[in-house]
Amino acid sequence: MAATAKPNGKSITDSDISSKIPATANPLAEEPSQIASNINYHAKFSPHFSPFKFQPEQAYYATADSVRDRLIQQWNETYLHFHKKNPKQTYYLSMEYLQGRALTNAIGNLNVQKAYADALNKLGHDLEEIREQEKDAALGNGGLGRLASCFLDSMATLNLPAWGYGLRYRYGLFKQRIAKDGQEETAEDWLEKFSPWEVVRHDVVYPVRFFGRVHVNPDGLRKWVEGEVLQALAYDVPIPGYKTKNTISLRLWEAKASAEDFNLFQFNDGQYESAAQLHSRAQQICAVLYPGDATEDGKLLRLKQQFFLCSASLQDIIFRFKERKGSTASLQWSEFPTKVAVQLNDTHPTLAIPELMRLLLDEEGLGWDEAWAVTTRTIAYTNHTVLPEALEKWSQPVMWKLLPRHMEIIEEIDKRFIATVHATRTDLVSQIPSLCILDNNPQKPVVRMANLCVVSAHTVNGVAQLHSDILKNELFVDYVSIWPSKFQNKTNGITPRRWLRFCSPELSNIITKWLKTDQWVTNLDLLTGLRKFADDSKLQEEWASAKLANKKRLAQYIEHTTGVQVDPSTLFDIQVKRIHEYKRQLLNILGAVYRYKKLKEMSPEERKKTTPRTIMIGGKAFATYTNAKRIVKLVDDVGAVVNKDPEVNTHLKVVFVPNYNVSVAELLIPGSELSQHISTAGMEASGTSNMKFALNGCLIIGTLDGANVEIREEIGEDNFFLFGATADEVPKLRKDRENGLFKPDPRFEEAKQFVRGGAFGSYDYNPLLDSLEGNTGYGRGDYFLVGHDFPQYLDAQEKVDEAYKDRKKWLKMSILSTAGSGKFSSDRTIAQYAKEIWNIEECRVP
């Protein structure tokens, strides 16, 4: 029988626990002893494991079941309240949600952390240890998915009638392992057992069709028929607001085939694979986030995923609209946009536009003009990128094959848009080839999804002021002249609950103490009250001790994960985000290479005068993105040499942090002192990790890109280490490069040569470094201006080294960083969406 360690060091068996704590159902328990009974009840009567086991894993699942009891009660109350009040409701469509662990967030938002910690102690367990048993939900990849999750938290906290829709990916993007040859990808295992946070809704199932043909009735009505039909089954995840009863839903769709689709005759004939062909295809849809799309099958699968999300979600939205209306006799479709707001998170859910049109035209019998009026008043679009490769363009032949009726509808939308331009804007006729939705280039005909969104949505927004300005002045400039009031900015935000209150309790307690209130957790602007204490030596000491506690926690994690020992007294310098050439992890690691080379050239006395630094880089490189994977390999190779060099390794360490996800971020961000947000100006739409670092008192070295611009304005220019070309300078610098006018800094050449010379092993880095060479050509010419910005980057890093030596100055800057981060709460962002785009209002559960 398993024994469990008690906090006082004694050990007790599971049967001791069972006998001492009654196993009594108490779903709404608030007292520790009642909560302990409820946890024990779930261990015995909601069993997921063999009896008589109550080790940390079993304790985690029983604890999650206990928390879920309370969530389900609030969830049901919220659902009923929305049903009664029938407010206008927002439905947020996103291909990814990066939720992170749910336990800490749920008990934090329910305000029962201490009660659960005490209850678990009574059961012989420690909350910290139990929390570690939970696997991050593998439903997202980067900033786009994490933003969606922050938004859900804010929607619930602001008591807004809102709902998220996504897909239930079984294997996620991938789990990253760093091996001898660099990054290796394996499937995520978050559903290997099950997730205690989701509730399957067996009564919420919708048919989703693919392929087939369009049948035209004698009366001219068109209907999409035949092809293959799969079922979309709903799994709901509760999203509790902070200190409120409101608990909203993230509804995730899973693809299924029915028993009827299983061919028993074929199976008994030994044709096992073809007997279950549709079941196999159904499993593919929600298997992996962003499956490789180099092949036609890969493209079809991605398109299937996108349509599956859109079709299931819109059928559900329409069902809910009708359900609330009661009788179909009183159904007025013109009221639909007064009850429903649909937000598209980037172009992935663009097919919601033709699908809503199809449902209204073919299923509900509306005419074109009425259906178009409903659709355009319902749907809004958030643009997240200006990178050409990320503005989705789908092959027309692939679309005709998979979604023939939708292509007819898209053709009609395009035809009518072109006619409108001809009729009302003759000055723009010459621009039609770039403005229209269908690019009919005979070599490669495509559907331009961003164009479809802009033409069809009532509002288009960017996600930081600089990004929105680029959209209005460059990317969508001609559309702005047609619809000047359609375009808005909504600077991104982050939830202060997960990203400060729960991940850095020491620092948040200090903030509460000095502000004499914890109201800042839901009103982040109150942080400005710290400014008047920024020079106070008492606050600075408390601040430093909280930061050191976080650094020690991080150092333990780094040693446990990578085997590298890092010194918490060194400057912790962190860059964590997707590995991409525009995010310029290559600039960071070449800077580290140069720093290492200079340290090697110094005498021991000179080295002692330098600022010791630990550089940590983390993030996933997309499986087929070769240069990104080379960057991961280079970081790891540099670390392997630097960290074993006895002359240097007390002054510099370089660590690649593997398998970056939300839970890893919750350790890295509070433990960081400098973070790097160094993308080529004009290429990062916003960034949100910059906000998380700034909120945690971490100083930023960065370019004037994305939300960096606004962060610098808010926290003060003196508290931001700025370098690099500006967005308006970038096009000319690229043109100069093409014309052979670029003269590289000798330090840049020195760093590259050091790598090429084999200082970090025998791996061939020439293809990676060649992307920084030459003036033009595919994969050459340093498109992301690493060489141009390198000297300024080194100069800015020297300023960092100097500032860190002045402890009082650094701590003051750190406090001012937190004090200036109030604007970057997702509560502010969502309140703006609610008022200025969705037109929805608070609907608080009494």
Short mmCIF file of all heavy atoms in Angstrom, two decimals, residues 225-261:
data_model
loop_
_atom_site.label_atom_id
_atom_site.label_comp_id
_atom_site.label_asym_id
_atom_site.label_seq_id
_atom_site.Cartn_x
_atom_site.Cartn_y
_atom_site.Cartn_z
N VAL A 225 -24.90 18.64 -51.38
CA VAL A 225 -25.30 17.26 -51.10
C VAL A 225 -24.12 16.30 -51.29
O VAL A 225 -23.08 16.66 -51.84
CB VAL A 225 -26.47 16.81 -52.02
CG1 VAL A 225 -27.72 17.64 -51.73
CG2 VAL A 225 -26.08 16.91 -53.49
N GLU A 226 -24.33 15.05 -50.81
CA GLU A 226 -23.39 13.95 -50.97
C GLU A 226 -22.06 14.22 -50.26
O GLU A 226 -22.04 14.90 -49.24
CB GLU A 226 -23.21 13.60 -52.47
CG GLU A 226 -24.53 13.14 -53.10
CD GLU A 226 -24.46 13.05 -54.62
OE1 GLU A 226 -23.39 13.24 -55.22
OE2 GLU A 226 -25.53 12.81 -55.21
N GLY A 227 -20.95 13.70 -50.77
CA GLY A 227 -19.66 13.86 -50.09
C GLY A 227 -19.60 13.02 -48.83
O GLY A 227 -20.29 12.01 -48.70
N GLU A 228 -18.76 13.44 -47.87
CA GLU A 228 -18.67 12.69 -46.60
C GLU A 228 -19.14 13.60 -45.47
O GLU A 228 -18.87 14.80 -45.47
CB GLU A 228 -17.24 12.18 -46.36
CG GLU A 228 -16.20 13.23 -46.12
CD GLU A 228 -14.80 12.65 -45.91
OE1 GLU A 228 -14.45 11.67 -46.60
OE2 GLU A 228 -14.06 13.20 -45.08
N VAL A 229 -19.85 13.00 -44.53
CA VAL A 229 -20.40 13.76 -43.41
C VAL A 229 -19.85 13.20 -42.11
O VAL A 229 -19.96 12.00 -41.85
CB VAL A 229 -21.94 13.71 -43.39
CG1 VAL A 229 -22.48 14.48 -42.19
CG2 VAL A 229 -22.51 14.27 -44.69
N LEU A 230 -19.22 14.07 -41.32
CA LEU A 230 -18.71 13.69 -40.00
C LEU A 230 -19.57 14.39 -38.93
O LEU A 230 -20.31 15.32 -39.23
CB LEU A 230 -17.25 14.10 -39.84
CG LEU A 230 -16.26 13.46 -40.82
CD1 LEU A 230 -14.87 14.02 -40.62
CD2 LEU A 230 -16.25 11.94 -40.65
N GLN A 231 -19.41 13.92 -37.70
CA GLN A 231 -20.16 14.53 -36.58
C GLN A 231 -19.19 15.37 -35.74
O GLN A 231 -18.07 14.94 -35.47
CB GLN A 231 -20.77 13.44 -35.69
CG GLN A 231 -21.65 12.44 -36.44
CD GLN A 231 -22.81 13.09 -37.15
OE1 GLN A 231 -23.47 13.97 -36.60
NE2 GLN A 231 -23.04 12.68 -38.39
N ALA A 232 -19.66 16.56 -35.34
CA ALA A 232 -18.89 17.39 -34.41
C ALA A 232 -19.52 17.25 -33.02
O ALA A 232 -20.69 17.58 -32.83
CB ALA A 232 -18.94 18.86 -34.85
N LEU A 233 -18.73 16.74 -32.08
CA LEU A 233 -19.19 16.52 -30.71
C LEU A 233 -18.56 17.57 -29.80
O LEU A 233 -17.35 17.82 -29.87
CB LEU A 233 -18.77 15.11 -30.26
CG LEU A 233 -19.00 14.75 -28.79
CD1 LEU A 233 -20.49 14.71 -28.46
CD2 LEU A 233 -18.34 13.41 -28.46
N ALA A 234 -19.38 18.17 -28.92
CA ALA A 234 -18.90 19.27 -28.07
C ALA A 234 -18.31 18.78 -26.76
O ALA A 234 -18.89 17.93 -26.09
CB ALA A 234 -20.05 20.23 -27.79
N TYR A 235 -17.14 19.32 -26.42
CA TYR A 235 -16.54 19.19 -25.09
C TYR A 235 -16.45 20.59 -24.51
O TYR A 235 -15.87 21.48 -25.14
CB TYR A 235 -15.13 18.60 -25.18
CG TYR A 235 -15.06 17.12 -25.44
CD1 TYR A 235 -15.32 16.60 -26.71
CD2 TYR A 235 -14.72 16.23 -24.43
CE1 TYR A 235 -15.25 15.24 -26.97
CE2 TYR A 235 -14.64 14.86 -24.68
CZ TYR A 235 -14.90 14.38 -25.93
OH TYR A 235 -14.83 13.03 -26.17
N ASP A 236 -17.00 20.80 -23.32
CA ASP A 236 -16.99 22.13 -22.72
C ASP A 236 -15.98 22.21 -21.59
O ASP A 236 -15.89 21.29 -20.75
CB ASP A 236 -18.37 22.49 -22.17
CG ASP A 236 -19.35 22.86 -23.28
OD1 ASP A 236 -18.89 22.97 -24.44
OD2 ASP A 236 -20.54 23.05 -22.99
N VAL A 237 -15.24 23.31 -21.56
CA VAL A 237 -14.27 23.57 -20.48
C VAL A 237 -14.75 24.83 -19.75
O VAL A 237 -14.98 25.87 -20.39
CB VAL A 237 -12.85 23.81 -21.06
CG1 VAL A 237 -11.86 24.11 -19.94
CG2 VAL A 237 -12.40 22.60 -21.87
N PRO A 238 -14.93 24.76 -18.43
CA PRO A 238 -15.41 25.95 -17.70
C PRO A 238 -14.31 26.99 -17.53
O PRO A 238 -13.16 26.65 -17.25
CB PRO A 238 -15.82 25.38 -16.33
CG PRO A 238 -15.02 24.14 -16.16
CD PRO A 238 -14.73 23.60 -17.54
N ILE A 239 -14.67 28.25 -17.71
CA ILE A 239 -13.73 29.38 -17.54
C ILE A 239 -14.29 30.30 -16.45
O ILE A 239 -15.21 31.09 -16.69
CB ILE A 239 -13.59 30.20 -18.86
CG1 ILE A 239 -13.30 29.29 -20.06
CG2 ILE A 239 -12.55 31.30 -18.70
CD1 ILE A 239 -11.94 28.62 -20.07
N PRO A 240 -13.76 30.18 -15.22
CA PRO A 240 -14.30 31.01 -14.13
C PRO A 240 -13.73 32.43 -14.16
O PRO A 240 -12.55 32.62 -14.47
CB PRO A 240 -13.83 30.28 -12.87
CG PRO A 240 -12.56 29.59 -13.29
CD PRO A 240 -12.68 29.28 -14.76
N GLY A 241 -14.57 33.40 -13.85
CA GLY A 241 -14.08 34.76 -13.66
C GLY A 241 -13.46 34.90 -12.28
O GLY A 241 -13.65 34.05 -11.41
N TYR A 242 -12.73 36.00 -12.07
CA TYR A 242 -12.04 36.23 -10.79
C TYR A 242 -13.01 36.86 -9.80
O TYR A 242 -13.57 37.93 -10.05
CB TYR A 242 -10.85 37.15 -11.02
CG TYR A 242 -10.05 37.48 -9.77
CD1 TYR A 242 -9.22 36.54 -9.18
CD2 TYR A 242 -10.13 38.75 -9.18
CE1 TYR A 242 -8.49 36.83 -8.04
CE2 TYR A 242 -9.39 39.06 -8.05
CZ TYR A 242 -8.58 38.09 -7.48
OH TYR A 242 -7.84 38.39 -6.36
N LYS A 243 -13.24 36.16 -8.68
CA LYS A 243 -14.12 36.64 -7.61
C LYS A 243 -15.49 37.06 -8.14
O LYS A 243 -16.00 38.13 -7.79
CB LYS A 243 -13.45 37.78 -6.84
CG LYS A 243 -12.22 37.35 -6.06
CD LYS A 243 -11.72 38.46 -5.15
CE LYS A 243 -10.47 38.04 -4.39
NZ LYS A 243 -9.94 39.12 -3.55
N THR A 244 -16.05 36.25 -9.02
CA THR A 244 -17.40 36.47 -9.52
C THR A 244 -18.02 35.11 -9.76
O THR A 244 -17.31 34.11 -9.94
CB THR A 244 -17.40 37.30 -10.83
OG1 THR A 244 -18.72 37.32 -11.36
CG2 THR A 244 -16.49 36.70 -11.88
N LYS A 245 -19.36 35.04 -9.76
CA LYS A 245 -20.02 33.75 -10.03
C LYS A 245 -19.97 33.39 -11.51
O LYS A 245 -20.16 32.24 -11.87
CB LYS A 245 -21.48 33.81 -9.57
CG LYS A 245 -21.65 33.73 -8.06
CD LYS A 245 -23.14 33.66 -7.73
CE LYS A 245 -23.37 33.68 -6.22
NZ LYS A 245 -24.80 33.79 -5.90
N ASN A 246 -19.79 34.40 -12.35
CA ASN A 246 -19.83 34.12 -13.79
C ASN A 246 -18.75 33.12 -14.20
O ASN A 246 -17.56 33.32 -13.94
CB ASN A 246 -19.66 35.41 -14.60
CG ASN A 246 -20.93 36.23 -14.62
OD1 ASN A 246 -21.48 36.56 -13.56
ND2 ASN A 246 -21.42 36.54 -15.80
N THR A 247 -19.19 32.05 -14.85
CA THR A 247 -18.29 31.00 -15.36
C THR A 247 -18.75 30.67 -16.77
O THR A 247 -19.87 30.20 -16.97
CB THR A 247 -18.35 29.75 -14.46
OG1 THR A 247 -17.93 30.12 -13.14
CG2 THR A 247 -17.46 28.65 -14.97
N ILE A 248 -17.92 31.00 -17.74
CA ILE A 248 -18.32 30.84 -19.14
C ILE A 248 -17.67 29.59 -19.73
O ILE A 248 -16.98 28.85 -19.03
CB ILE A 248 -17.98 32.11 -19.98
CG1 ILE A 248 -16.47 32.38 -19.99
CG2 ILE A 248 -18.76 33.31 -19.47
CD1 ILE A 248 -16.06 33.49 -20.95
N SER A 249 -17.89 29.36 -21.01
CA SER A 249 -17.45 28.11 -21.64
C SER A 249 -16.44 28.32 -22.73
O SER A 249 -16.55 29.27 -23.52
CB SER A 249 -18.65 27.40 -22.29
OG SER A 249 -19.38 26.69 -21.34
N LEU A 250 -15.50 27.40 -22.79
CA LEU A 250 -14.72 27.20 -24.01
C LEU A 250 -15.23 25.88 -24.57
O LEU A 250 -15.08 24.83 -23.96
CB LEU A 250 -13.22 27.10 -23.68
CG LEU A 250 -12.32 26.59 -24.82
CD1 LEU A 250 -12.46 27.46 -26.07
CD2 LEU A 250 -10.86 26.53 -24.37
N ARG A 251 -15.90 25.96 -25.72
CA ARG A 251 -16.46 24.76 -26.34
C ARG A 251 -15.50 24.26 -27.41
O ARG A 251 -15.19 24.98 -28.36
CB ARG A 251 -17.85 25.06 -26.92
CG ARG A 251 -18.48 23.88 -27.62
CD ARG A 251 -19.99 24.01 -27.73
NE ARG A 251 -20.63 23.69 -26.44
CZ ARG A 251 -21.95 23.73 -26.22
NH1 ARG A 251 -22.77 24.09 -27.20
NH2 ARG A 251 -22.44 23.42 -25.04
N LEU A 252 -15.03 23.04 -27.22
CA LEU A 252 -14.07 22.42 -28.14
C LEU A 252 -14.77 21.31 -28.91
O LEU A 252 -15.49 20.50 -28.33
CB LEU A 252 -12.90 21.83 -27.34
CG LEU A 252 -12.12 22.82 -26.46
CD1 LEU A 252 -11.17 22.07 -25.55
CD2 LEU A 252 -11.36 23.83 -27.31
N TRP A 253 -14.54 21.28 -30.21
CA TRP A 253 -15.18 20.28 -31.05
C TRP A 253 -14.25 19.10 -31.31
O TRP A 253 -13.06 19.29 -31.57
CB TRP A 253 -15.59 20.88 -32.39
CG TRP A 253 -16.57 22.01 -32.27
CD1 TRP A 253 -16.32 23.33 -32.48
CD2 TRP A 253 -17.95 21.91 -31.90
NE1 TRP A 253 -17.45 24.07 -32.26
CE2 TRP A 253 -18.47 23.22 -31.91
CE3 TRP A 253 -18.79 20.85 -31.56
CZ2 TRP A 253 -19.81 23.50 -31.59
CZ3 TRP A 253 -20.12 21.13 -31.24
CH2 TRP A 253 -20.61 22.43 -31.26
N GLU A 254 -14.83 17.90 -31.23
CA GLU A 254 -14.10 16.70 -31.63
C GLU A 254 -14.84 16.07 -32.82
O GLU A 254 -16.07 16.07 -32.85
CB GLU A 254 -14.06 15.70 -30.47
CG GLU A 254 -13.47 14.36 -30.90
CD GLU A 254 -12.80 13.61 -29.77
OE1 GLU A 254 -11.68 14.00 -29.42
OE2 GLU A 254 -13.43 12.69 -29.25
N ALA A 255 -14.09 15.55 -33.77
CA ALA A 255 -14.69 14.94 -34.97
C ALA A 255 -14.92 13.45 -34.72
O ALA A 255 -14.03 12.75 -34.25
CB ALA A 255 -13.80 15.15 -36.17
N LYS A 256 -16.12 12.99 -35.08
CA LYS A 256 -16.48 11.58 -34.90
C LYS A 256 -17.17 11.07 -36.15
O LYS A 256 -17.77 11.85 -36.89
CB LYS A 256 -17.49 11.42 -33.74
CG LYS A 256 -17.06 12.00 -32.42
CD LYS A 256 -16.10 11.11 -31.71
CE LYS A 256 -16.66 10.53 -30.44
NZ LYS A 256 -15.61 9.90 -29.64
N ALA A 257 -17.09 9.76 -36.34
CA ALA A 257 -17.95 9.11 -37.33
C ALA A 257 -18.91 8.22 -36.54
O ALA A 257 -18.62 7.83 -35.41
CB ALA A 257 -17.12 8.28 -38.30
N SER A 258 -20.06 7.92 -37.11
CA SER A 258 -21.06 7.16 -36.36
C SER A 258 -20.88 5.66 -36.59
O SER A 258 -20.13 5.23 -37.48
CB SER A 258 -22.46 7.59 -36.81
OG SER A 258 -22.65 7.19 -38.15
N ALA A 259 -21.60 4.86 -35.81
CA ALA A 259 -21.54 3.40 -35.96
C ALA A 259 -21.99 2.98 -37.36
O ALA A 259 -21.47 2.02 -37.93
CB ALA A 259 -22.42 2.74 -34.89
N GLU A 260 -22.95 3.74 -37.92
CA GLU A 260 -23.43 3.43 -39.28
C GLU A 260 -22.32 3.53 -40.32
O GLU A 260 -22.39 2.91 -41.38
CB GLU A 260 -24.56 4.39 -39.68
CG GLU A 260 -25.86 4.14 -38.94
CD GLU A 260 -26.88 5.23 -39.24
OE1 GLU A 260 -26.67 5.99 -40.22
OE2 GLU A 260 -27.85 5.33 -38.48
N ASP A 261 -21.32 4.35 -40.02
CA ASP A 261 -20.23 4.55 -40.98
C ASP A 261 -19.19 3.43 -40.91
O ASP A 261 -18.22 3.45 -41.66
CB ASP A 261 -19.54 5.90 -40.72
CG ASP A 261 -20.47 7.07 -40.93
OD1 ASP A 261 -21.21 7.05 -41.93
OD2 ASP A 261 -20.48 7.99 -40.08
#
